[in-house]
Amino acid sequence: MQDDNLVTICKQYFLNFQEKNLDALSNMFDEHVFLKDWNILAEGKGSVLSANSDIFNSIDKIKVDVVCLYTCMNTVVAQLLIHADDEQPLPVVDIIKFDPSTFLIKSITAYRGN
């Protein structure tokens, strides 16, 4: 059942990201959340929200297509296609780790495909 909860939370996370909803994202993050991708390294809720805000301000629209989700323990691996403005879709893999007692996001590590 925990795996189902994590999948549901991840889908909501991607929807909130797509909608550029910083308030909703804030409610999903642990206070000590960690974000790392090919351009960003941020630690702590404020820094991660600021990094997300910078992303949102740099593009007009973003769409996240979830190709598939895999769960293991307190982690979800998400294979995604990110559509930013009218550019070619960007393949991305997110590894999202959760606090098992609160179901808040503890870390997000994103890997960019070719």
Side-chain angles (χ1 to χ4, degrees), residues 36-77:
K36 183 179 187 309
D37 72 12
W38 53 95
N39 291 324
I40 299 168
L41 179 61
E43 190 168 357
K45 188 188 279 194
S47 293
V48 171
L49 289 169
S50 178
N52 283 321
S53 179
D54 291 345
I55 293 168
F56 299 157
N57 290 332
S58 71
I59 54 177
D60 290 325
K61 62 182 178 176
I62 188 167
K63 184 171 186 316
V64 180
D65 287 330
V66 177
V67 177
C68 57
L69 297 171
Y70 305 95
T71 60
C72 182
M73 304 286 285
N74 300 310
T75 302
V76 175
V77 177

Side-chain angles (χ1 to χ4, degrees), residues 14-113:
F14 295 126
L15 181 62
N16 291 336
F17 189 87
Q18 179 175 282
E19 293 175 349
K20 301 181 178 183
N21 188 337
L22 290 172
D23 290 334
L25 291 173
S26 178
N27 291 331
M28 302 184 86
F29 292 152
D30 182 85
E31 286 298 320
H32 305 286
V33 65
F34 178 83
L35 170 66
K36 183 179 187 309
D37 72 12
W38 53 95
N39 291 324
I40 299 168
L41 179 61
E43 190 168 357
K45 188 188 279 194
S47 293
V48 171
L49 289 169
S50 178
N52 283 321
S53 179
D54 291 345
I55 293 168
F56 299 157
N57 290 332
S58 71
I59 54 177
D60 290 325
K61 62 182 178 176
I62 188 167
K63 184 171 186 316
V64 180
D65 287 330
V66 177
V67 177
C68 57
L69 297 171
Y70 305 95
T71 60
C72 182
M73 304 286 285
N74 300 310
T75 302
V76 175
V77 177
Q79 182 181 357
L80 312 167
L81 283 176
I82 308 293
H83 306 265
D85 295 329
D86 292 325
E87 296 179 21
Q88 287 286 90
L90 178 66
V92 174
V93 172
D94 278 2
I95 299 173
I96 303 173
K97 295 184 179 182
F98 290 86
D99 181 303
S101 62
T102 63
F103 293 105
L104 294 176
I105 296 172
K106 296 279 292 178
S107 71
I108 304 164
T109 304
Y111 298 95
R112 178 182 177 167

